[in-house]
């Protein structure tokens, strides 16, 4: 008889004390992020060793914190981890007073871009947005993909149930070479026929659009449920400066 091994249980991690009025919270707000939206998404503005930090909590199916990813919130851009996890980041609680953008998932290159999109949509619709946990790779690899050895993109396979039955995956990666590489690699694993890409029209990323153009332009009152055929390219009805194209 075959013995089925249980999956290893991730160790719990203690999240820091949440500070709604500290330097970290102000840092988020200065970047255009709605603090309430950030906290509902799993963000913990806090202090570590007397320095302001932003904690991004990863939880299991029972809402236990199993890992924390931190970034400094004092002008430096430093990242570190407590615990280890290969999952997408971002909790998506729904506002029952808003409609759902169904059959659509957005994936960003970083947590701040994830929060920017959530902030832009917070008064309009519930939209499912996640960030990759480890940024973008530096170069494209065209090797055959074996899920058992695909360590850099293990989070895709660990969270594969999120994508089951979803027909539209929007890749909100950065407007640079690394963002191009990440979009390419994600599309290879998620079925290119259902993957779309945001064109930032000169902006670097979603948080940049939010800070420079504001929430209304970042979200542009887009109805992501509608699409139309334009030549050989599918484009969602998202006005300038954000346009989403099929890769």
């Amino acid at each position: 008889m075959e013995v089925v091994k249980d999956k290893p249980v991730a160790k719990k991690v203690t999240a820091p004390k949440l500070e709604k009025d500290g330097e970290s919270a102000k840092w988020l707000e200065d970047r255009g992020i709605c603090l309430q939206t950030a906290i509902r998404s799993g963000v913990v503005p806090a202090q570590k060793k007397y320095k302001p930090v932003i904690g991004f909590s990863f939880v299991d199916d029972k809402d236990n914190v199993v890992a924390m990813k931190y970034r400094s919130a004092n002008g430096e851009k430093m990242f570190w981890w407590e615990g280890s996890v290969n999952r997408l980041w971002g909790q998506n609680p729904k506002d029952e007073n808003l409609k759902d953008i169904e059959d659509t998932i957005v994936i960003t290159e970083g947590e701040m871009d994830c929060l920017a999109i959530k902030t832009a949509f917070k008064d309009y619709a519930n939209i499912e947005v996640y960030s990759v946990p480890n940024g973008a790779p530096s170069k494209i690899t065209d090797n055959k993909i074996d899920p058992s050895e695909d360590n850099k993109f293990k989070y895709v396979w660990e969270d594969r149930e999120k994508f089951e039955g979803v027909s539209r995956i929007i890749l909100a990666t950065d407007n640079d070479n690394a963002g191009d590489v990440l979009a390419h690699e994600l599309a290879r694993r998620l079925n290119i026929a259902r993957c779309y890409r945001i064109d930032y029209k000169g902006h670097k990323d979603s948080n940049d659009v939010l800070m420079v153009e504001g929430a209304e332009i970042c979200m542009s009152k887009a109805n992501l449920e509608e699409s139309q055929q334009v030549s050989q390219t599918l484009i969602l009805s998202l006005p300038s400066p954000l346009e989403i194209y099929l890769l």
Side-chain angles (χ1 to χ4, degrees):
M1 182 177 68
E2 181 182 1
V3 177
V4 179
K5 295 182 179 180
D6 294 331
K7 289 184 178 180
V9 178
K11 295 181 180 179
K12 295 181 182 180
V13 171
T14 301
K17 180 182 178 182
L18 188 151
E19 297 184 355
K20 293 184 178 181
D21 301 317
E23 293 180 62
S24 302
K26 184 178 184 303
W27 184 88
L28 284 171
E29 292 172 337
D30 287 345
R31 295 181 69 90
I33 303 300
C34 171
L35 182 59
Q36 182 180 1
T37 298
I39 292 172
R40 293 178 70 230
S41 301
V43 169
V44 184
Q47 283 200 15
K48 298 283 284 185
K49 297 182 178 179
Y50 305 104
K51 292 184 178 181
V53 299
I54 306 298
F56 304 99
S57 58
F58 290 76
V59 299
D60 61 17
D61 295 338
K62 297 181 180 179
D63 289 331
N64 296 313
V65 178
V66 295
M68 293 290 302
K69 180 180 178 181
Y70 291 98
R71 72 164 290 166
S72 55
N74 59 355
E76 300 176 357
K77 193 174 182 180
M78 298 176 59
F79 296 90
W80 67 97
W81 287 79
E82 289 182 4
S84 177
V85 69
N86 286 293
R87 306 293 295 268
L88 293 165
W89 178 81
Q91 299 171 35
N92 289 278
K94 291 185 177 182
D95 184 334
E96 295 182 355
N97 296 316
L98 300 178
K99 69 175 183 179
D100 296 337
I101 295 179
E102 299 177 343
D103 203 25
T104 299
I105 286 179
V106 183
I107 303 178
T108 68
E109 186 172 328
E111 294 83 6
M112 294 304 297
D113 297 320
C114 177
L115 293 174
I117 293 174
K118 286 174 177 285
T119 293
F121 276 87
K122 70 180 178 65
D123 296 322
Y124 176 68
N126 295 309
I127 184 168
E128 197 169 351
V129 192
Y130 300 97
S131 170
V132 303
N134 52 9
S138 58
K139 60 182 180 179
I140 291 173
T141 57
D142 289 321
N143 299 331
K144 182 179 179 181
I145 298 171
D146 181 348
S148 66
E149 299 178 358
D150 196 23
N151 294 328
K152 178 68 176 178
F153 294 91
K154 190 174 181 180
Y155 57 84
V156 172
W157 312 111
E158 292 291 325
D159 276 331
R160 57 188 177 276
E161 74 283 350
K162 287 182 170 59
F163 304 102
E164 292 177 358
V166 174
S167 63
R168 189 173 298 119
I169 301 173
I170 300 170
L171 305 178
T173 57
D174 288 4
N175 183 24
D176 55 21
N177 183 67
D180 294 343
V181 171
L182 179 58
H184 174 85
E185 294 289 2
L186 288 173
R188 291 179 66 206
R189 291 159 174 82
L190 294 169
N191 182 358
I192 194 171
R194 60 177 180 167
C195 290
Y196 297 72
R197 178 87 185 275
I198 287 183
D199 181 354
Y200 291 107
K201 297 296 184 182
H203 293 285
K204 178 181 180 294
D205 53 35
S206 297
N207 196 196
D208 187 28
V209 174
L210 179 66
M211 293 177 67
V212 175
E213 305 286 354
E216 185 172 348
I217 296 298
C218 183
M219 188 275 296
S220 297
K221 298 297 184 185
N223 183 356
L224 298 179
E225 295 168 307
E226 295 181 2
S227 62
Q228 58 183 350
Q229 188 79 37
V230 179
S231 299
Q232 299 301 313
T233 305
L234 285 177
I235 178 173
L236 296 180
S237 56
L238 190 57
S240 179
L242 296 183
E243 292 176 353
I244 304 170
Y245 293 93
L246 182 65
L247 287 170

